[in-house]
Amino acid sequence: MEEKEKKKHRAKHSGPKAEKKRKRYLSDLGIGDDENARKRNPKAFTVQSAVRMARTFHRTQDLKTKKHHIPVVDRTPLEPPPVVVVVVGPPKVGKSTLIKCLIKNFTRQKLIEIRGPVTIVSGKKRRLTIIECGCDINTMIDLAKVADLVLMLIDASFGFEMETFEFLNICQVHGFPKIMGVLTHLDTFKNNKQLKKTKKKLKHRFWTEVYPGAKLFYLSGMVHGEYQKQEIHNLGRFISVMKFRPLTWQTSHPYVLADRMEELTNLEDVRINPKCDRKIALYGYLRGAHLKNKSQIHMPGVGDFTVSDVSFLPDPCALPEQQKNRSLNEKEKIVYAPLSGVGGIVYDKDAVYIDLGGSHAHEKEEEEVSPNHELVQSLISTHSAIDVKMASSKVSLFMDSRPLGSEDVGQEFVMPKEERQIDLKTGRVRRKALFEEEEKENDDAVSDEEDDQEEEAAAMSEDGSGSDGEDEDAEQESDRELLGEEIAVGRTKRLKTQVAREEAVNELPAFADSDDNLEMSSEGEGETAPKGSEMEDEEDEQRSYEHESSDSDFEAAGKRVAESMQREINSEDIVMRPQISDHSLKRKAVLITDSGNCTAGEASESDVENSSLDEGDDEGSSHDELEVEESHRKGFQHNQAKKADGIRQTKLKAVEAEDDDVENLLREEEEYEEKLDFSADTTGALKWKEDLTQKAAQAFLRQQCSTPSLRKLIYGTAVEDEDHESEDAGGELGGLFRVSRPDKASKQKANALDCSKFLVEKLQDWDLEEVMNSIRDCFVTGKWEDDKDAAKLLEEDEELYGDFEDLETGVVHKGKCATEDESGSEEDEEDGKMSKPEPEEEEKKKELMDKKWKLKEMFDAEYDEGDATYFDDLKEEMHKQAQLNRAEFEDQDDETRVQYEGFRPGMYVRIEIENVPCEFVLNLDPHYPIILGGLGNSEGNVGYVQLRLKKHRWYKKILKTRDPLILSLGWRRFQTIPMFYIEDHNGRHRLLKYTPQHMHCGATFWGPITPQGTGFLAVQSVSGTMPDFRIAATGVVLDLDKSITIVKKLKLTGFPFKIFKNTSFIKGMFNSQLEVAKFEGAAIRTVSGIRGQIKKALRTPVGAFRATFEDKLLMSDIVFVRTWYPVSIPTFYNPVTSLLKPAGEKNSWSGMKTTGQLRHDRGIKVKQNKDSLYKPIVREKRHFNKLHIPKALQKALPFKNKPKNLEKKRKTPKDQWRPAVIREPHEKKISALLSALSTVNNYKIKKAKVKHREQLKEYLKVKQKEDEQKFKRQKEAKKKIYRILGQREKMRQKSSLKGCSKGEKST
Amino acid sequence: MASGLIWFAPLTSSVGTTLYYQPGLLYGGSLEHDCSPSRSIGYYLESLLCLAPFMKHPLKIVLRGVTNDQVDPSVDVLKVTALPLLKKFGVDGESLEIKINRRGMPPKGGGEILFACPVRRVLQPIHFTDPGKIKRIRGTAYSVRVSPQMANRMVESARSILNKFLPDIYIYTDHMKGVSSGKSPGFGMCLTAETINGTILSAELASNPQGQGAAVLPEELGQNCAKLLLEEVYRGGCVDSTNQSLALLLMTLGQRDVSKVLLGPLSPYTIEFLRHLRSFFQIMFKIETKTPEEEHMGGEKVLMTCVGTGFSNLSKTIR
């Protein structure tokens, strides 16, 4: 900190302050200020081009509308669940280190090992669930679906790796969560320039993948195996203020990222059959949408289940209640990570381990014990001691298991050193993702540097701003203090976790009592205790330990074990252990009996009951009212179930008067039911009508007289249900079949008439005046409510608008000042004489103001309404709905609320699931996320799904139809066999053998029904690592159609066996007459292109038919018909059960193999069709017959088209042959000379011709010119003449007019 | 009918009916169906009204059988009450209609109607808590294969009662002849009361079928029907008693938002329906009884509130 103080002051260059300064400076100078400029020079700001202005306006409007999203109802609950932060990156990039640093930053606690999700309170209104994502593609897919924020770690020294890009693509498909890049290993760069260049390069690549301007964080280096404090702090601040966009899939489905698993299977069953299906309970925050009990869920990597029970628990990592302070105090900085061993407790499958800490972990603390605070401390400490007590009460330890120490765990998971990392590097295959662009980018690094500097400056300013506030103070605590806090916080956490755990186990009454007493007292003391510093806290704990160790209560001591173990040396540990084991055994026994009960009789207990029970057990005495309620419920249940349970009977005594009421009611209902039954039996089915009216009358009466029991009338009570279900359980026949015996009521209803009409059992006498009056006001003619009554409203208006002057008649109307006059009259009388003019004036003023205000309101309403767009209206509507959603059930307690709307997101729930494969429990690895994804209506069904699919551009191979493919769709990952098709112009879906390269195609598969519009991705295998990009295809669900219409082309061939003119008989295409009949009229074609039609089947040979063609066929022609054959989609759906694999092999799931793989594995060669082999094409020369034209036709043809009998001419008889001329030498000379001369002559003639032509051209040119001139002259001459003519004409007209006027005058 | 459309097959078992159910997608399209004359078309139409918005293709179905009888809600009533209700949930458009081509009375029937409904992907939540005051009363008095004077007589008698409350009453007389009059004689009337907020309450009565029970005087029927309407007004609510279950179902099938509706006293059918809704959708309604603040506003009302299941039409294709 001192260094910072030394730092020189740097003037701000940006931000509001700098802006203000600049403005002031400029105004001092007399320039600047836009406002002034406008005033100074208004002409410069006028409209210069209307068109341009219109265009700019248009463009701004376009941009504005582009930003609009379809408004959705905001369904986030008031207390949202923790934000899921997924830390993802290739191995050894520093994921766990980052998580540890973040947790330490937020909670001042150091986690030794990160296993599973870690939930922390990061601020007053925000909690985070941080989870690490390995490189297994299964994990990446699962976590991308639940992530709200992704921290994408990138090893800057290495660059991007394929995992990063794969994860980005997964995110894109399953809704894009917020993504923040984090560059690590920046300290490996020795050269600063190189560092900058790399940063820049990576940043731009990141931007192209996510969005331009996406935040990329730089973690510069490590200090003692941790990232730098300030940087982590900044990162934390970024995370805790981030806003998230709701993702469609996530908001429409409930889901739980489980952070704890508990097995509830009957131990005896496991003993008999170790591979029996298990019953488990999973814990976690509910997110997304409301979860209903008994709904369908999917566990990615395990399978589909039906929720057998849900209950909500007190929040183990609650947000601070009162929000007075700006920052959290230390007690509110909670961390909850049951799988990771927070506060020294590690949950395993079925045991809980306690971390003893290092042998010298407590030495410091012990030194600080100061005896003078003893008394106060003992008082203060009791509160925290409760936590510990409750915490350890549920701890069950393995007798023979070695407790995990921080040292042993730590050794395995130390951040590897530099050299080691290099070793690993050589060993590990890293999947570097290289891009050509990047290499290019390297060249233009010079200009980039400027940008970087700017950025760094910005980062610096952020640092500066980050260092103020209380957070800063907290950071500067000494290590010693930190240690103390750690323990203190740990205890409170333990309390929370234990509370959560408690509900599974019914407490022994004595135990509960002691608990309660202690808690009560501690609460009282806790209030008196001041909120001391951390130092004091530590001492408290010391005191408390001493104080409590003297406690004789065994239970309490057992609970303290955790505490004591942390304090004492190992030697004492040995003494304590048997006690612990003893205790744990007891607890386990209780647990077992309880679960046994559950399975036998009370498994069907409704969730309401259950949760209320649990809650009551937990915090029974602390909430008195609650207990009353709960106990009465319990009693109720006992009455019904008739079960004698020792513990519960004690509570039966607490049945109260209310209980009796309820019982009475129930009895009434039972009687009612019986009566109905009786009547049905006796009177028979024919008299249903009487029965119905009677029933309706009764029902109606009930509704009228006991309105609060309407709900009970409809839904019955939870106890009733239980009763029925227990009956059902009893009706099992040999454990195989179940007698489905409809209960009396439903039997009765089944025989009744199914009619929706609500018959009136007894008409009221509508002629009577009283009866008529009872509905008088339902009509517009009746009396209205005050706020709607027209007369009243008019009167009110009168007061304001009463004054007006009738302009036509000039009469001034005065409104009565009804209310004001009345109220003010007394005042007037009193004050009237004293100062009469003043109040009058005031009144007038007030009236005027009122008037004005009313007018303004009207004006506003008119104009605002006109301004509001459809979009605004829609948004407003959604907002209203959201408010209603929040407000509707707000006032009700959680239990009733849960019944109406289901478990709302943000609750910490415990979900019981039955029939889980034992492998899931046995091979549980907390490093792999356990997700419970809720399924909507009919999303648990399997059917045909149509997709639009595109092979990923980076995937090297093309995909083949009928090869199994692993899809990630909705919550699920599954293997299926898609068939690819493309839609032809006529809407036909034609099967494709392979996916097209850079085009979308359709795909249909048999798999889980998922709503339309859901994105999916496909991979070919999820096992191991591949050197290439793994995502094979992406796309979206289009349709869920039962009738698939994919067809493939089938050409049937046949051969002509008899040819008439244009008619031929074809055989070999079909096998029976029936087949032919089906294809009658179908278009057929020969290979040579002659088109035809199937006419009719022939009797022999079988399958032959008559066909006509547009031309005569040849016997050598092949005829074919093109048909479309529907393809059946293989009903293969195989969920990827990667979580069932044993630990260490979880990424080695392999499903059905492709044919190619099978062939490769077995070494089978494809048997190729001989005809399909490529051979050199040998084409025989074809001889065509001569074209024969009949003589008659020849005669008719015009001469042009007549075949010229050239051959005949050529064949001149020998006697007509001309003899060859043989020249004499002289003659030869002559002819040579002649030819030479003629050549010369010819040349001369040619030359003369050319010359002549040129001359002609010249001449024509000259001629044209002359013509033009001549034409011009003529034109001018004509003009002149016409002008003269015109003038003359005018003159004449004028003179004639004159003459006319004269003539008129003269007459 | 079409593959995958839930339908009741004709009587086969001794009890009376068997349910023939072929699971799958609701396909829709243009269909025709001959309904059994033992129940009126309204009975079939009620179930179709629940299903029609969630088909793959818009439904256009011709139903033949009994249009009006004494047991089930008649087609006339559904036309004037159920369709406006559907519109409130966002199922509207030109194609939403019920058209009565022919009227058929029991026992022989012979009526024919056309029902067309568009498809929707999701339904809107409704907030329908203020019924408002009744501004007009409309109705239809129909007569087939009897004297056309019957209808007029019914109208007269009904008006005589209703006029004490409201002047704006108009009851259409609908006398069908020839082919469109079905196979059996009969007459009846249905009345609707419409409020300023668009709530429609209805009542109806039909004459005894030919050869069953004593002959009914049209005057008596008209008066009784008017009184039934007054009874319905007394019950009140924003949805009339026949359509309570439809409204509740569509609320359940809405998005994950709060829907509210004010009903009159729940009919036994609705109560049973609510139980079914809980067992199928795990939906429980918040039921509050409301007594009207003023004296002359009829009986007690029930405010039903629920959060939708987030149901979306999985059959509808997107392009």
Side-chain angles (χ1 to χ4, degrees), chain A residues 756 777 781 885 1012 1040, chain B residues 25 46 133 165 257 275 316:
Chain A
S756 67
D777 288 348
T781 48
N885 287 355
Q1012 304 92 328
L1040 311 154
Chain B
L25 298 170
E46 271 185 316
K133 292 193 186 296
F165 294 96
D257 288 322
R275 290 181 192 142
K316 197 166 182 276

Side-chain angles (χ1 to χ4, degrees), chain A residues 1249-1286:
Chain A
K1249 236 183 199 169
V1250 169
K1251 204 183 170 188
H1252 180 249
R1253 206 170 281 158
E1254 264 171 24
Q1255 276 175 344
L1256 191 70
K1257 230 183 224 170
E1258 291 275 291
Y1259 169 75
L1260 280 175
K1261 238 184 215 170
V1262 173
K1263 183 104 194 285
Q1264 201 186 353
K1265 230 177 212 173
E1266 277 174 4
D1267 277 352
E1268 267 173 20
Q1269 276 176 348
K1270 198 176 152 193
F1271 184 67
K1272 220 177 178 180
R1273 273 203 307 275
Q1274 277 177 347
K1275 211 179 174 185
E1276 257 164 41
K1278 270 182 191 166
K1279 225 179 186 176
K1280 239 179 215 170
I1281 291 161
Y1282 284 134
R1283 196 189 294 147
I1284 291 160
L1285 280 174

Side-chain angles (χ1 to χ4, degrees), chain A residues 632-768:
Chain A
H632 115 235
R633 277 199 188 178
K634 227 171 258 177
F636 205 43
Q637 176 198 339
H638 275 263
N639 275 352
Q640 291 298 316
K642 288 168 190 165
K643 255 180 203 164
D645 193 312
I647 309 155
R648 287 191 189 167
Q649 267 182 355
T650 55
K651 297 202 175 175
L652 197 77
K653 290 167 191 167
V655 177
E656 297 204 354
E658 284 174 35
D659 190 359
D660 290 351
D661 282 4
V662 182
E663 263 186 275
N664 286 341
L665 254 171
L666 243 186
R667 210 172 297 144
E668 228 175 64
E669 198 146 275
E670 274 172 4
E671 279 171 9
Y672 162 62
E673 269 185 14
E674 277 171 31
K675 217 189 256 172
L676 286 180
D677 200 24
F678 172 74
S679 63
D681 286 346
T682 50
T683 53
L686 280 172
K687 294 206 173 179
W688 51 267
K689 221 167 186 175
E690 283 172 25
D691 205 339
L692 195 74
T693 49
Q694 192 187 343
K695 196 175 75 181
Q698 274 183 355
F700 192 73
L701 272 176
R702 278 165 168 291
Q703 284 159 31
Q704 298 299 18
C705 63
S706 61
T707 41
S709 69
L710 192 58
R711 192 185 138 205
K712 225 162 261 167
L713 172 80
I714 292 165
Y715 293 124
T717 51
V719 185
E720 260 193 335
D721 285 9
E722 191 204 340
D723 206 18
H724 287 313
E725 278 179 62
S726 62
E727 263 182 27
D728 286 351
E732 266 180 38
L733 291 177
L736 248 180
F737 303 103
R738 233 179 55 181
V739 184
S740 67
R741 193 185 299 126
D743 52 335
K744 290 169 192 169
S746 68
K747 212 189 222 166
Q748 151 68 25
K749 266 145 209 161
N751 286 340
L753 186 83
D754 174 38
C755 173
S756 67
K757 252 194 190 170
F758 189 6
L759 297 169
V760 184
E761 68 282 356
K762 198 178 140 229
L763 262 176
Q764 297 182 68
D765 190 4
W766 288 103
D767 300 327
L768 287 176

Side-chain angles (χ1 to χ4, degrees), chain A residues 191-206:
Chain A
N191 186 355
N192 208 23
K193 203 172 172 185
Q194 183 62 31
L195 173 68
K196 272 181 192 168
K197 242 160 93 183
T198 320
K199 269 185 182 174
K200 174 102 185 161
K201 199 174 71 188
L202 292 176
K203 185 177 72 185
H204 281 283
R205 184 66 229 175
F206 187 68

Side-chain angles (χ1 to χ4, degrees), chain A residues 73 75 251-254 289-295 688-689 692 695-696 699-700 703-705 707-708 710-711 713-717 721 746 749 751 753-767 771-786 788 877 881-882 884-886 888-889 891-892 899-901 936-939 948 983 989 1009-1013 1036-1043, chain B residues 15 23-25 27 39 43 46 56 69-74 121 125-127 130 132-137 161 164-167 193 195-196 204 224 227-228 230-235 241-242 244-245 253 255-260 265-272 274-275 278 280-289 293-300 302 304-319:
Chain A
V73 181
R75 297 194 180 97
T251 48
S252 59
H253 292 82
H290 293 291
L291 176 74
K292 295 253 157 57
N293 199 2
K294 313 280 180 208
S295 59
W688 51 267
K689 221 167 186 175
L692 195 74
K695 196 175 75 181
F700 192 73
Q703 284 159 31
Q704 298 299 18
C705 63
T707 41
L710 192 58
R711 192 185 138 205
L713 172 80
I714 292 165
Y715 293 124
T717 51
D721 285 9
S746 68
K749 266 145 209 161
N751 286 340
L753 186 83
D754 174 38
C755 173
S756 67
K757 252 194 190 170
F758 189 6
L759 297 169
V760 184
E761 68 282 356
K762 198 178 140 229
L763 262 176
Q764 297 182 68
D765 190 4
W766 288 103
D767 300 327
V771 182
M772 271 164 71
N773 275 341
S774 68
I775 58 163
R776 186 69 76 184
D777 288 348
C778 290
F779 295 87
V780 279
T781 48
K783 211 177 91 202
W784 290 64
E785 288 95 54
D786 285 346
K788 284 175 196 160
E877 212 171 276
Q881 180 69 51
L884 183 74
N885 287 355
R886 290 213 183 106
E888 183 57 37
F889 298 106
D891 50 336
Q892 263 147 351
Q899 287 191 325
Y900 291 133
E901 50 172 20
N937 292 65
S938 74
E939 276 174 36
R948 189 193 295 135
E983 194 172 318
H989 293 161
I1009 298 285
T1010 318
Q1012 304 92 328
V1036 70
V1037 177
L1038 287 186
D1039 199 3
L1040 311 154
D1041 202 344
K1042 259 202 94 82
S1043 54
Chain B
V15 181
L25 298 170
Y27 200 78
R39 296 302 292 260
Y43 177 67
E46 271 185 316
K56 191 173 191 68
D69 72 353
Q70 290 180 314
V71 182
D72 289 306
S74 69
R121 210 174 74 77
I126 58 161
H127 310 290
D130 184 15
K133 292 193 186 296
I134 293 163
K135 64 175 175 186
R136 60 172 162 233
I137 291 175
I161 288 186
K164 291 174 196 162
F165 294 96
L166 204 68
T195 68
I196 47 172
E204 62 168 330
N224 282 339
K227 281 177 184 172
L228 276 181
L230 293 180
E231 195 71 38
E232 185 69 36
V233 170
Y234 180 79
R235 283 173 182 162
S241 58
T242 328
Q244 280 175 354
S245 54
L253 294 178
Q255 287 174 288
R256 289 174 195 274
D257 288 322
V258 170
S259 287
K260 285 177 147 198
L266 301 180
S267 69
Y269 182 82
T270 312
I271 289 172
E272 192 59 37
L274 280 170
R275 290 181 192 142
R278 189 177 63 155
F280 284 129
F281 294 107
Q282 300 286 330
I283 282 275
M284 248 174 98
F285 277 78
K286 184 175 157 193
I287 302 162
E288 291 161 289
T289 333
E293 299 110 45
E294 281 161 66
E295 224 180 311
H296 310 305
M297 292 290 280
E300 277 189 324
V302 186
M304 309 287 286
T305 312
C306 84
V307 182
T309 47
F311 183 85
S312 74
N313 184 359
L314 288 179
S315 319
K316 197 166 182 276
T317 314
I318 58 160
R319 287 282 161 212

Side-chain angles (χ1 to χ4, degrees), chain A residues 784-972:
Chain A
W784 290 64
E785 288 95 54
D786 285 346
D787 54 332
K788 284 175 196 160
D789 195 13
K792 263 264 167 64
L793 285 174
L794 210 72
E795 213 165 82
E796 271 173 30
D797 275 0
E798 185 89 335
E799 287 163 29
L800 286 176
Y801 302 115
D803 298 340
F804 71 92
E805 193 178 336
D806 197 336
L807 286 174
E808 273 180 31
T809 54
V811 178
V812 179
H813 294 263
K814 266 274 183 192
K816 338 170 239 180
C817 311
T819 46
E820 265 171 49
D821 275 353
E822 281 161 31
S823 62
S825 60
E826 289 156 39
E827 276 184 313
D828 280 351
E829 278 171 36
E830 284 176 353
D831 306 322
K833 284 152 197 171
M834 306 267 283
S835 54
K836 209 170 183 184
E838 249 189 28
E840 254 184 30
E841 252 175 52
E842 261 180 40
E843 223 168 75
K844 264 191 180 173
K845 235 183 192 174
K846 211 179 169 189
E847 254 177 57
L848 208 73
M849 286 294 282
D850 271 346
K851 226 181 197 175
K852 271 186 178 171
W853 182 78
K854 193 113 184 181
L855 273 173
K856 192 175 183 298
E857 210 174 41
M858 269 169 66
F859 180 85
D860 281 353
E862 206 171 292
Y863 276 79
D864 286 351
E865 245 171 55
D867 205 30
T869 55
Y870 172 70
F871 181 74
D872 292 333
D873 289 347
L874 211 61
K875 232 159 89 178
E876 181 62 27
E877 212 171 276
M878 297 292 175
H879 182 66
K880 262 187 199 159
Q881 180 69 51
Q883 275 184 330
L884 183 74
N885 287 355
R886 290 213 183 106
E888 183 57 37
F889 298 106
E890 186 125 57
D891 50 336
Q892 263 147 351
D893 61 326
D894 277 349
E895 279 160 41
T896 29
R897 230 184 132 166
V898 155
Q899 287 191 325
Y900 291 133
E901 50 172 20
F903 294 84
R904 66 176 177 282
M907 276 178 160
Y908 191 76
V909 291
R910 171 185 190 271
I911 297 179
E912 269 180 41
I913 303 167
E914 282 175 83
N915 300 327
V916 179
C918 65
E919 288 86 357
F920 174 70
V921 180
L922 297 175
N923 303 332
L924 187 77
D925 183 355
H927 292 288
Y928 281 81
I930 304 163
I931 294 165
L932 301 171
L935 299 173
N937 292 65
S938 74
E939 276 174 36
N941 299 347
V942 183
Y944 293 104
V945 183
Q946 277 84 43
L947 315 165
R948 189 193 295 135
L949 174 140
K950 190 181 177 185
K951 188 191 80 79
H952 201 283
R953 273 189 300 164
W954 296 353
Y955 194 69
K956 292 256 168 78
K957 290 183 272 183
I958 51 173
L959 305 174
K960 192 180 176 192
T961 281
R962 228 181 264 282
D963 263 357
L965 200 63
I966 295 167
L967 297 189
S968 156
L969 175 63
W971 295 120
R972 302 163 202 269

Side-chain angles (χ1 to χ4, degrees), chain A residues 14-60:
Chain A
S14 62
K17 209 169 188 181
E19 198 100 295
K20 219 187 269 172
K21 261 188 183 173
R22 199 175 302 132
K23 220 174 226 175
R24 201 191 301 148
Y25 174 72
L26 285 174
S27 67
D28 283 350
L29 286 179
I31 46 170
D33 232 354
D34 316 331
E35 191 77 15
N36 273 338
R38 255 176 200 282
K39 274 181 193 163
R40 265 202 332 266
N41 189 7
K43 271 187 186 171
F45 293 93
T46 51
V47 179
Q48 283 174 334
S49 160
V51 177
R52 190 168 169 182
M53 197 176 182
R55 272 189 198 143
T56 46
F57 176 75
H58 207 133
R59 174 147 178 77
T60 45

